Amino acid sequence: MDSDVVPVIGLLVLVPFGRREVIGLIIGISDSSDFPEEKLKNAVALRAQLAPLSDHWLALCAFAADYYQRPFGEVALPGLPKNLRALKPGPLDRALKKIARGVAPHDATPAAMPVLNPAQQEAADAIAESAGFAPILLHGVTGSGKTEVYLQAAHKILAQDERQQNLSQILILVPEINLTPQLENNVRARFPGVMVATLHSGLAEGERMFHWLAAHLGHARIVLGTRLAVLASMPHLKLIIIDEEHDPSYKQQEGLRYSARDLAVWRARQLGIPVVLGSATPALESWHHSQSGRYRKLELRQRAVRDAVLPTVRLIDMERDKPAEGLTSTLLAALRLRLERGEQSLLFLNRRGYAPVLNCDACGWVSNCTRCTSFMVLHKPEHRLRCHHCSLELRIPKYCPTCGNIDLQPMGRGTQRVEEGLQQFFPQARILRIDADSTRRKGSAQAAFDSVHRGEVDILIGTQMVAKGHDFKNLTVVGVLNPDTALFSHDYRASERLFAQLMQVAGRAGRAAQREGGSASEVLIQTRYPQHPLYGAVMAHDYDRFAGELLEERRHAGLPPFIYQALLRAEARELQTALDFLQLASECLPHPGITINDPIPMTMTRVANVDRAQLLVECASRPALQAFLKIWIATLRQIKTRARWSLEVDPVDI
Ligand code: ADP
Ligand code: ZN
Ligand code: ZN
């Protein structure tokens, strides 16, 4: 260590590593070493003025590493901004100076706070006045004003600070920041004198370092971020809020496959602070905890805007009302009415592209991906066939590659095709498509949503991107185009997800009071299974009943949250290699009390020329499963195999 710096745990240092210098984190201090002394080198402190990472933060990383069975460094280091890791003094110094200057006290009048309704007030008070660890499920219907509850609870906590000359920090987690610019704007407008840091993967490195440091140094009182922000260093953290806590994006799906929601709850427990999980459709795990009393449940049963009511949900039986271009006459009539009245419509179809497959009627050829167990999707505006799994791209063939037939047919329907159909039906309408293809450029999603908010769009068509969070004021009808496929999925979580998605997208309609001469808000679901109980629950806006029934099913079937799971995945050029490894894995240890299922190929077996298989492990006790995994993973490392493998704890996609 450099002589001028005292080594302390949590300090970031530069370590000579071969010819390079890499960043290191001091996690322990020792007087002696097994290495010969002449081989030891000095580490250089990153910045003496940069406070070490706290014990609490180190404990959080240690917990995550331990729980998800990954090395500590893999948890702790990726969370740090790259510039910090590369230790460029220039940007670091500039950022430190800028942070020291604090926020410009621009326009210090905070945006007006609406008067909370009694249910909101009760919730905001309950949150702000909680002492110690307090997990709270804020279950509020769409449009019930959950955001307002978060903001006013935050306000109370920060105001207490001023009186007590204290310093508090608040962490607000959101599913996807680009889809919630409204929230960011609201927070900044409401807290003009407060430094708000944002942390998400879309930030440029310099910005990311600035925001990370602002949080780490305690200057940012509010940190707003996506799942990765759960690992932000916040020395004065006093409240964590998880907005739309059911959202699948809180689960990281590669590398360290952590659940930001679960880590947030752990973090709150360790710090002895409240954590709020907000949703109209809570994850069944969270709901279960609120039913058993582990989480306190706060309810908002009404929409917040006076006279705004939940939309009427109707099912359109597609066997009776046969669709043209994917649109039934009932839905077309509803769209026409909104156009006449100058109101907005939203169509939801969770499938991007023009058609999911291109097909030859003459010989049966279909546009299979040569590298994956999937179809190449037709993208008409881009003149391409694209595989959504391996990103392979081809020009659209002019004739069938097998028989030469020039009349190739698109089968099925994605957002691009619906957009085309809409243009035929409503040539005068301003139609906008929002999906991953239409919003590739940075900032384009935000620009698209802004134009909807400004009223420049009559009909919006989109994937799940349009279903979340947005507060569209003039939108009175939502059409759902093809939800049925999820009803019969092999994935036991599919119905939970479909229900949440439908409730969320339905929640975009009727968020303002009905105008005089305007339409009552409604949701039209096109289906071939109008009798299905899931749709019945959506029509009744009855989350409680639906969740209760699903939980009962899970209890009988022995599924989470009543048992605990881990998934071992293996991939190799040959499926057999992966299966052989998994077979060995299933036999390599005695495992009383632990169920190890048979190895099976994954549903989508091949992706980018690699075959994939999996092995599901289950146990009624979480500690028992954890104890087993620890020994198991050490044993697996001894197995010689060409398969690449990884272990996921609490998997969600099985
Ligand atoms: P949620 O997140 O629960 O879906 P939002 O927080 O987006 O709901 O609130 C829905 C709408 O209600 C927003 O336009 C918001 O400004 C408004 N709102 C919230 N609380 C109140 C209130 N107490 N009085 C009037 N309007 C409110
Ligand atoms: Zn053919
Ligand atoms: Zn592919």
Side-chain angles (χ1 to χ4, degrees), residues 360 362-365 400 402-405 408:
C360 170
C363 77
W365 173 86
C400 172
T402 350
C403 78
N405 172 18
L408 296 176

Side-chain angles (χ1 to χ4, degrees), residues 314-381:
R314 284 200 289 147
L315 304 177
I316 309 175
D317 185 347
M318 289 164 80
E319 296 298 337
R320 295 199 186 155
D321 186 351
K322 297 254 192 262
E325 298 300 327
L327 304 164
T328 57
S329 61
T330 316
L331 183 54
L332 286 170
L335 296 177
R336 194 164 295 121
L337 189 70
R338 271 46 184 209
L339 281 172
E340 285 163 10
R341 292 182 172 166
E343 297 165 0
Q344 292 176 311
S345 310
L346 166 65
L347 296 186
F348 170 60
L349 172 60
N350 216 359
R351 183 187 277 158
R352 66 192 171 87
Y354 186 85
V357 53
L358 190 64
N359 159 61
C360 170
D361 277 345
C363 77
W365 173 86
V366 287
S367 56
N368 282 314
C369 175
T370 51
R371 299 154 29 105
C372 307
T373 327
S374 70
F375 297 121
M376 305 273 296
V377 177
L378 176 62
H379 283 252
K380 206 170 164 188

Side-chain angles (χ1 to χ4, degrees), residues 345-352 415-416 418-419 422 432-436 438 449 459-467 479 481 505:
S345 310
L346 166 65
L347 296 186
F348 170 60
L349 172 60
N350 216 359
R351 183 187 277 158
R352 66 192 171 87
T415 46
Q416 294 175 346
V418 174
E419 181 186 21
L422 284 169
L432 180 69
R433 169 169 58 88
I434 298 188
D435 55 27
S438 77
F449 286 117
I459 306 176
L460 175 62
I461 157 100
T463 54
Q464 43 84 26
M465 280 180 72
V466 300
L481 294 190
V505 73

Side-chain angles (χ1 to χ4, degrees), residues 287 533-538 540 542-551:
W287 186 248
L534 186 144
Y535 295 133
V538 175
D542 197 347
Y543 171 85
D544 297 34
R545 198 190 76 206
F546 184 74
E549 287 170 3
L550 266 192
L551 275 176

Side-chain angles (χ1 to χ4, degrees), residues 245-513:
E245 64 91 31
H246 65 279
D247 198 284
S249 69
Y250 284 121
K251 177 81 200 239
Q252 164 107 339
Q253 291 291 21
E254 57 197 23
L256 174 76
R257 293 171 176 252
Y258 65 97
S259 154
R261 179 182 64 224
D262 295 351
L263 286 183
V265 173
W266 190 89
R267 197 169 179 179
R269 174 182 299 128
Q270 203 217 13
L271 284 172
I273 61 170
V275 53
V276 181
L277 290 75
S279 176
T281 51
L284 279 193
E285 279 80 0
S286 309
W287 186 248
H288 179 54
H289 288 325
S290 79
Q291 298 301 87
S292 71
R294 282 178 66 182
Y295 292 179
R296 174 169 180 193
K297 187 167 72 179
L298 300 172
E299 301 255 16
L300 306 176
R301 295 187 176 277
Q302 246 108 52
R303 285 202 156 167
V305 172
R306 186 205 283 251
D307 296 331
V309 288
L310 286 170
T312 311
V313 180
R314 284 200 289 147
L315 304 177
I316 309 175
D317 185 347
M318 289 164 80
E319 296 298 337
R320 295 199 186 155
D321 186 351
K322 297 254 192 262
E325 298 300 327
L327 304 164
T328 57
S329 61
T330 316
L331 183 54
L332 286 170
L335 296 177
R336 194 164 295 121
L337 189 70
R338 271 46 184 209
L339 281 172
E340 285 163 10
R341 292 182 172 166
E343 297 165 0
Q344 292 176 311
S345 310
L346 166 65
L347 296 186
F348 170 60
L349 172 60
N350 216 359
R351 183 187 277 158
R352 66 192 171 87
Y354 186 85
V357 53
L358 190 64
N359 159 61
C360 170
D361 277 345
C363 77
W365 173 86
V366 287
S367 56
N368 282 314
C369 175
T370 51
R371 299 154 29 105
C372 307
T373 327
S374 70
F375 297 121
M376 305 273 296
V377 177
L378 176 62
H379 283 252
K380 206 170 164 188
E382 301 96 324
H383 309 291
R384 286 284 184 279
L385 290 177
R386 272 191 192 148
C387 173
H388 289 182
H389 303 281
C390 72
S391 318
L392 182 66
E393 285 208 1
L394 299 172
R395 247 190 248 143
I396 301 173
K398 295 206 167 57
Y399 48 84
C400 172
T402 350
C403 78
N405 172 18
I406 52 163
D407 192 19
L408 296 176
Q409 296 296 325
M411 296 220 299
R413 198 170 300 280
T415 46
Q416 294 175 346
R417 195 171 185 182
V418 174
E419 181 186 21
E420 190 182 274
L422 284 169
Q423 283 158 353
Q424 286 164 22
F425 284 114
F426 306 109
Q428 317 296 341
R430 298 165 300 173
I431 297 162
L432 180 69
R433 169 169 58 88
I434 298 188
D435 55 27
D437 299 310
S438 77
T439 54
R440 264 170 216 271
R441 269 183 307 109
K442 195 176 178 216
S444 58
Q446 173 144 7
F449 286 117
D450 286 348
S451 76
V452 182
H453 287 297
R454 283 197 302 268
E456 294 162 6
V457 173
D458 299 314
I459 306 176
L460 175 62
I461 157 100
T463 54
Q464 43 84 26
M465 280 180 72
V466 300
K468 297 180 182 178
H470 297 281
D471 195 26
F472 302 124
K473 298 282 195 255
N474 190 29
L475 200 139
T476 59
V477 71
V478 169
V480 182
L481 294 190
N482 195 5
D484 288 343
T485 40
L487 293 176
F488 308 104
S489 165
H490 64 280
D491 180 350
Y492 72 89
R493 288 181 199 267
S495 49
E496 177 186 355
R497 280 201 205 113
L498 175 61
F499 182 78
Q501 225 165 36
L502 292 176
M503 295 281 275
Q504 293 295 335
V505 73
R508 298 317 108 209
R511 294 174 73 90

